[in-house]
Amino acid sequence: MAISPAAAVERDFPAPREPVPQPPARIRVLTGYFRTHWETLSAPEQQQLQAGWDTRALPLIEDDPDGDPDVRAVTFLYRNSAAAAVILSANAMVHPDTLGACEFEALPDGLWALTWQMPASWEASYRITVHTGTGTPPWRTAADRRGVRLAADAGGPDPRNSVLSTGMSGAATSVLRLPAAPPAPWLATPVPAASAGTSIMGDDSAAGLLPQGRCWAGGRTSGPRHVLGDFVRSLELRRVRDRHTGRMRNVWLYRPRVPLAAPTPLLVLHDGQVWAKYQNLAGTLDAAIDAGILPPLHVAMVDSVDVPTRSRELSGPTGSVDFAACDLIPELRRSLPLSPDPLHTVISGASYGGLAALWQVARFPGTAATALAQSPSLWRYDLDQPLLEAAGRIRVRLQAGCYEPSIHAPARALHAALAESGVDTDFRSVTGGHDWAWWHPWLIRGLAAVLAD
């Protein structure tokens, strides 16, 4: 299976499988939990809470009423006197079979509450959606799970939670990390599209509207430093030709801002437009390097363009995999002070990007030999044999959320199969779903571990 970039040719690969339906998550709801607390408050205390003057952070996080030290009672509150129904769209938790567990309970005077018992290490993004007027809420009339999820997610962030993140589209989400989730003091604040301010250069140029006053030289842009939200960084936009498709691809390049004493590792990261424009990965990398969590490294964030292009080019053994091995990595090694050791070239991504990272080290271990695959879409391919054929030359690091069982179970099984055959592999189970809320901090933790080896 392993071949050199120069010899890359079309070959027979396993046929992709159809998506696996996700079973509903088990949600423990504490019905009436906050109502009991509400009824103990005096009228002024109730008014204070409703007016938003309460100084306690929301959601409310309390010890488990059943006494389990590994569980917390998490109460989401919302105030809307015109609402007829309110639903919590927490990542991976909304399902046609769990709607009753995700809908808020109505309290007097337009207050709504929902309390879950959740593992104390839970990390999740969420949104709150309100239905007003008469009729059935749209999440209860949707025809399938995707329709249910989209309807439940149509609202916005929690107005009482200031911690925000974003996903593929750049839309703002609220983020909740319970106390047992590992601390991430180096995590930079994401910049959702609605509050991104001046965006990183690349939006206009990607559309063929390169701003005047900048020129192309050797596939790079020359010009001033660029601004991403409130964070000033020199993320360089490169246009790299894909020899297989003939088109130019956008790649955002992160350079460490510290002096370099030696060639650095390279991270190639899929869905680069999200990391560059919204997740503020540059800010996180700066902080993690400054804190000694990561060594200096270069990062190439590869644009996955849009949903159809991403599905076509990132979901299998060719496409973005061939581009990275045959075009991108060779160009970066020619122009940057990078380590030539394939083990120091890390390929990472989430979902389809995680799947592509695994195909990368299976097919091209001489170019990139370390895969850090987050929530890899292993329902699509059985990768045991391709990876075992590259055994002895690769490192495989797998991360999956416990609330994404169609990914978590095959990732654990792949790790077991690789470990039994002597492959350098590791698997981390994260208390979360298919979610940027944990992909961002766990990317850094995974990098820190693999680059320390």
Side-chain angles (χ1 to χ4, degrees):
M1 178 67 70
I3 57 178
S4 68
V9 294
E10 292 296 328
R11 54 156 294 153
D12 291 332
F13 293 105
R17 297 184 292 235
E18 291 300 314
V20 177
Q22 193 86 278
R26 179 173 176 265
I27 304 174
R28 292 188 292 171
V29 183
L30 290 175
T31 304
Y33 179 83
F34 187 78
R35 176 183 290 276
T36 300
H37 168 73
W38 174 259
E39 291 174 349
T40 66
L41 300 177
S42 65
E45 288 172 329
Q46 291 178 349
Q47 293 171 358
Q48 183 184 34
L49 181 60
Q50 286 182 308
W53 297 337
D54 188 18
T55 59
R56 290 174 295 181
L58 292 180
L60 297 175
I61 302 171
E62 301 171 284
D63 290 341
D64 177 39
D66 295 333
D68 188 337
D70 297 323
V71 172
R72 296 292 185 273
V74 183
T75 300
F76 300 87
L77 296 176
Y78 194 76
R79 185 168 183 262
N80 187 322
S81 57
V86 180
I87 192 167
L88 177 72
S89 179
N91 187 283
M93 310 306 282
V94 171
H95 186 280
D97 296 338
T98 64
L99 291 179
C102 296
E103 291 174 327
F104 286 63
E105 176 186 5
L107 276 69
D109 302 319
L111 188 64
W112 298 78
L114 175 65
T115 303
W116 285 354
Q117 289 175 291
M118 296 299 294
S121 55
W122 187 39
E123 300 177 69
S125 62
Y126 70 95
R127 290 161 69 88
I128 296 175
T129 299
V130 175
H131 172 66
T132 58
T134 60
T136 305
W139 54 83
R140 286 199 169 272
T141 60
D144 53 27
R145 185 182 176 229
R146 182 176 183 273
V148 167
R149 180 177 58 80
L150 291 175
D153 206 49
D158 183 348
R160 295 294 303 274
N161 181 356
S162 62
V163 183
L164 295 178
S165 185
T166 181
M168 289 290 293
S169 69
T173 63
S174 295
V175 172
L176 176 64
R177 292 188 175 91
L178 296 191
W186 28 260
L187 190 66
T189 302
V191 186
S195 58
T198 304
S199 66
I200 184 170
M201 197 189 79
D203 292 338
D204 290 342
S205 55
L209 301 173
L210 184 66
Q212 293 183 359
R214 291 172 171 77
C215 62
W216 293 107
R220 308 164 185 66
T221 55
S222 60
R225 314 289 265 195
H226 312 310
V227 178
L228 175 59
D230 296 327
F231 303 91
V232 178
R233 286 293 304 129
S234 62
L235 277 180
E236 173 190 323
L237 176 66
R238 291 199 177 192
R239 301 270 284 167
V240 181
R241 181 171 297 279
D242 183 330
R243 72 177 70 178
H244 291 84
T245 66
R247 67 179 176 83
M248 304 298 289
R249 287 181 179 248
N250 290 335
V251 179
W252 287 273
L253 179 64
Y254 169 86
R255 298 173 183 262
R257 63 182 182 181
V258 298
L260 300 180
T264 77
L266 170 67
L267 168 65
V268 176
L269 190 56
H270 295 297
D271 292 318
Q273 75 282 9
V274 184
W275 293 105
K277 296 179 182 180
Y278 308 135
Q279 284 292 315
N280 187 25
L281 181 61
T284 294
L285 291 168
D286 284 345
I289 292 171
D290 289 347
I293 304 300
L294 292 178
L297 76 161
H298 288 80
V299 181
M301 308 174 204
V302 184
D303 190 356
S304 55
V305 186
D306 53 34
V307 171
T309 304
R310 182 177 188 270
S311 297
R312 183 175 64 251
E313 297 184 346
L314 202 59
S315 64
T318 58
S320 296
V321 173
D322 285 333
F323 167 70
C326 302
D327 303 310
L328 177 60
I329 294 174
E331 174 175 321
L332 296 177
R333 284 186 174 156
R334 286 192 297 267
S335 59
L336 298 173
L338 300 177
S339 168
D341 186 348
L343 287 172
H344 292 165
T345 298
V346 182
I347 310 293
S348 186
S351 194
Y352 276 164
L355 182 69
L358 296 174
W359 273 117
Q360 193 83 48
V361 300
R363 293 190 59 213
F364 301 106
T367 301
T370 299
L372 173 55
Q374 299 186 294
S375 300
S377 300
L378 289 169
W379 52 264
R380 188 166 174 80
Y381 287 98
D382 182 353
L383 273 166
D384 292 29
Q385 192 59 38
L387 289 168
L388 288 174
E389 291 181 13
R393 293 172 290 168
I394 63 173
R395 295 185 295 185
V396 175
R397 302 294 183 264
L398 299 160
Q399 300 173 349
C402 67
Y403 295 120
E404 47 178 358
S406 65
I407 286 175
H408 189 275
R412 186 190 292 276
L414 175 61
H415 162 68
L418 296 178
E420 185 177 358
S421 297
V423 176
D424 183 352
T425 179
D426 182 65
F427 172 75
R428 295 299 174 99
S429 177
V430 180
T431 312
H434 204 68
D435 200 344
W436 289 90
W438 71 259
W439 289 341
H440 191 157
W442 281 90
L443 172 68
I444 302 304
R445 296 185 188 106
L447 282 174
V450 79
L451 296 179
D453 292 344

